[in-house]
Amino acid sequence: MKIEIITLNAEDTRLAAAFGADRVELVSAIHEGGLTPSYGAIKNVLSTSAIPVQIMIRPHSHGFIYDETDWKTMKEDISMIRTLGGNRIVFGCITDDGQIDEHLLNKVLEHAPDFDVTFHRAFDSLRSQLDGYRVLHKYKKNIKRILTSGGKPKAKDATLELKQLVALSNELEGPIILAGSGISSDNIGSIHKQIGTSEYHIGSGARLDGDFSKGIDRNKMDHIRRELAI
């Protein structure tokens, strides 16, 4: 079992590690769904983190369809991460008809062939998640996990869909299903019993008062670990 916590800076990341997180997802602009962090934030976190850091690559918050200008920005951001010693990113892209944008995905993977990649919640905007999973399975050498809420706003409302995705992941031995969105210390036990995945992604559900302007809550982290028996 692994717990991934959303963090915004080095102090967040330090606390997440101290309270039992296995990995963090570093983002900026969390209230816009998470965008690429600044150079300074990435440098500070990578130079101090005791656990793996997945860094968001997302140049804007208006959807997951990207043009050539967006690609140039993302390419530079990925290069910057490499120069700072990082080798893990969170990225996702779709076409305007709700398919995986394989053309852009291939560009990203060719530019970062040795990176550990999480395909993010662009996956939840696909026309068919099961078909999308089969596409991403072809890239399992690079794409290690898929962050998803099962196609609905909150994971707790898509336990059937998530269970199907977990079963497909197990069947194909492909990317792990990283369940996220609305997962908290209060519901993670129930969600886990229903979907049985091995990795969970937690944002405000691990925060004091559920507030991103406040720190990681040790008590919530302890409760999450107990619920997952880790």
Side-chain angles (χ1 to χ4, degrees):
M1 299 300 304
K2 291 192 175 182
I3 301 169
E4 177 180 279
I5 299 296
I6 299 173
T7 61
L8 308 177
N9 52 51
E11 178 62 8
D12 270 357
T13 303
R14 183 188 71 79
L15 290 175
F19 298 161
D22 298 286
R23 185 177 65 235
V24 301
E25 179 194 72
L26 180 67
V27 309
S28 67
I30 186 60
H31 296 298
E32 294 186 60
L35 301 179
T36 306
S38 71
Y39 174 94
I42 294 170
K43 182 177 181 179
N44 288 340
V45 170
L46 288 178
S47 65
T48 58
S49 180
I51 57 177
V53 180
Q54 305 285 143
I55 300 168
M56 178 65 76
I57 297 294
R58 190 177 176 217
H60 61 66
S61 60
H62 44 280
F64 306 105
I65 299 170
Y66 303 114
D67 60 21
E68 186 64 19
T69 299
D70 295 326
W71 160 236
K72 289 178 180 177
T73 299
M74 293 187 285
K75 183 178 181 181
E76 290 299 322
D77 287 337
I78 293 168
S79 295
M80 176 262 290
I81 289 168
R82 185 188 297 280
T83 65
L84 292 175
N87 64 355
R88 292 170 168 265
I89 58 173
V90 182
F91 172 77
C93 54
I94 63 173
T95 63
D96 57 9
D97 63 346
Q99 309 295 324
I100 301 289
D101 184 348
E102 290 190 77
H103 178 68
L104 179 54
L105 181 58
N106 276 301
K107 285 185 176 182
V108 170
L109 298 182
E110 287 168 7
H111 188 58
D114 55 338
F115 274 31
D116 176 306
V117 179
T118 299
F119 194 95
H120 65 43
R121 290 188 63 205
F123 189 77
D124 290 319
S125 296
L126 293 175
R127 180 178 297 175
S128 168
Q129 289 196 315
L130 294 178
D131 289 346
Y133 186 93
R134 292 184 179 94
V135 170
L136 293 178
H137 174 260
K138 299 187 298 183
Y139 303 95
K140 67 177 183 178
K141 177 182 176 183
N142 305 93
I143 298 174
K144 304 302 183 183
R145 66 200 67 80
I146 299 169
L147 173 59
T148 177
S149 58
K152 295 183 179 178
K154 301 298 180 184
K156 66 181 178 64
D157 299 319
T159 53
L160 176 59
E161 291 85 352
L162 286 165
K163 184 177 181 179
Q164 291 175 331
L165 287 166
V166 171
L168 185 59
S169 172
N170 293 336
E171 176 189 341
L172 298 180
E173 298 182 347
I176 292 166
I177 297 301
L178 172 61
S181 186
I183 294 179
S184 69
S185 57
D186 294 329
N187 62 24
I188 194 167
S190 172
I191 291 171
H192 180 56
K193 287 177 183 177
Q194 294 177 76
I195 71 174
T197 195
S198 59
E199 299 194 6
Y200 290 91
H201 171 92
I202 304 170
S204 61
R207 298 272 172 167
L208 293 162
D209 300 326
D211 187 342
F212 271 103
S213 70
K214 300 181 181 181
I216 310 294
D217 188 323
R218 179 192 290 272
N219 290 331
K220 288 181 178 178
M221 289 292 293
D222 287 346
H223 187 76
I224 288 165
R225 291 175 58 81
R226 286 197 300 272
E227 289 291 294
L228 297 177
I230 57 175

